[in-house]
Amino acid sequence: RKEVEQDPGPFNVPEGATVAFNCTYSNSASQSFFWYRQDCRKEPKLLMSVYSSGNEDGRFTAQLNRASQYISLLIRDSKLSDSATYLCVVKGFQKLVFGTGTRLLVSP
Amino acid sequence: DTEVTQTPKHLVMGMTNKKSLKCEQHMGHRAMYWYKQKAKKPPELMFVYSYEKLSINESVPSRFSPECPNSSLLNLHLHALQPEDSALYLCASSQPILDTEAFFGQGTRLTVV
């Protein structure tokens, strides 16, 4: 079993749709959690950190459930520019471990 | 300045060549990372340096040799690589404390012929 797992997708949605991504992690000692976005042939870039109380940044909402070892990302009012791969990242013991990534395609 | 700079951006090398990848950051970060990314796969951790000391080696073959000359620089020395080592090599840096994100360089796209 991979340490951090995501549904690879692709998720094909129309502009304006709401889409949710899930991520599970196996190491209960994991300490910090992030969502990164990666465009084709580019480096990963931080989208948002994920806090236990849940947090929101504009159209993006992240949730963490430590008991279930589960992280989610909700994107509201999808834009064409949201098309990318979304990577769940778990940090602990000096490591940053990436999930398998979920590809999102937003169409007009 | 939230930038991690990697050079070169592209590299083609033969299986008998020796080359080096370079990474630089001036954010005062004391943790630096090398990742390898193959097409349509997530980045895979190779090495972690914490306070200029190698703290994690994810069982990487010895043909990859990391070096951290100072707190701003990270090198990856390459020797006798195989074609399957062709990939995007990403450098990242962060503070070695919890809840701090990592910043990534644009990567070096390596082709081994």
Side-chain angles (χ1 to χ4, degrees):
Chain A
R1 183 186 171 191
K2 289 189 180 298
E3 194 169 339
V4 183
E5 294 202 70
Q6 298 177 244
D7 180 343
F11 284 53
N12 290 284
V13 302
E15 268 186 295
T18 296
V19 61
F21 303 140
N22 302 321
C23 170
T24 56
Y25 60 96
S26 60
N27 188 344
S28 59
S30 298
Q31 296 155 321
S32 309
F33 308 90
F34 308 92
W35 283 102
Y36 277 74
R37 169 197 169 125
Q38 186 171 28
D39 293 287
C40 188
R41 301 180 72 81
K42 299 282 190 180
E43 76 275 22
K45 292 189 176 177
L46 179 71
L47 180 65
M48 58 195 305
S49 302
V50 187
Y51 303 117
S52 297
S53 55
N55 50 299
E56 189 173 309
D57 182 1
R59 297 182 293 109
F60 301 87
T61 301
Q63 298 275 356
L64 167 63
N65 184 323
R66 285 187 185 269
S68 303
Q69 296 180 202
Y70 171 91
I71 305 158
S72 66
L73 176 69
L74 184 76
I75 304 176
R76 290 180 298 278
D77 189 24
S78 298
K79 310 291 184 192
L80 295 176
S81 57
D82 293 334
S83 297
T85 296
Y86 291 82
L87 295 153
C88 173
V89 179
V90 173
K91 188 178 185 182
F93 302 108
Q94 302 184 33
K95 284 189 184 185
L96 281 166
V97 180
F98 282 80
T100 43
T102 299
R103 182 128 173 76
L104 172 66
L105 299 170
V106 182
S107 54
Chain B
D1 181 9
T2 57
E3 198 171 85
V4 177
T5 303
Q6 287 188 245
T7 55
K9 288 196 171 21
H10 300 274
L11 178 62
V12 180
M13 62 185 289
M15 289 189 282
T16 58
N17 292 160
K18 285 185 182 181
K19 296 285 184 184
S20 296
L21 310 185
K22 297 187 183 303
C23 175
E24 188 169 5
Q25 57 88 14
H26 295 289
M27 294 177 277
H29 290 168
R30 302 305 296 276
M32 295 186 77
Y33 312 78
W34 280 115
Y35 283 84
K36 173 182 177 179
Q37 187 174 24
K38 301 281 275 185
K40 299 187 190 300
K41 298 288 188 183
E44 291 182 7
L45 184 64
M46 300 174 71
F47 302 104
V48 180
Y49 272 82
S50 181
Y51 297 97
E52 296 87 69
K53 294 195 186 311
L54 182 65
S55 58
I56 295 177
N57 176 342
E58 292 285 86
S59 303
V60 179
S62 59
R63 58 186 184 267
F64 295 91
S65 175
E67 179 197 20
C68 190
N70 60 53
S71 60
S72 300
L73 293 173
L74 185 66
N75 298 323
L76 186 63
H77 302 298
L78 314 173
H79 173 54
L81 295 194
Q82 303 297 310
E84 59 265 28
D85 295 322
S86 299
L88 180 67
Y89 288 84
L90 292 160
C91 172
S93 72
S94 76
Q95 291 296 8
I97 55 175
L98 301 177
D99 296 337
T100 56
E101 70 270 27
F103 294 85
F104 283 81
Q106 291 184 314
T108 294
R109 194 160 296 280
L110 174 68
T111 303
V112 181
V113 296

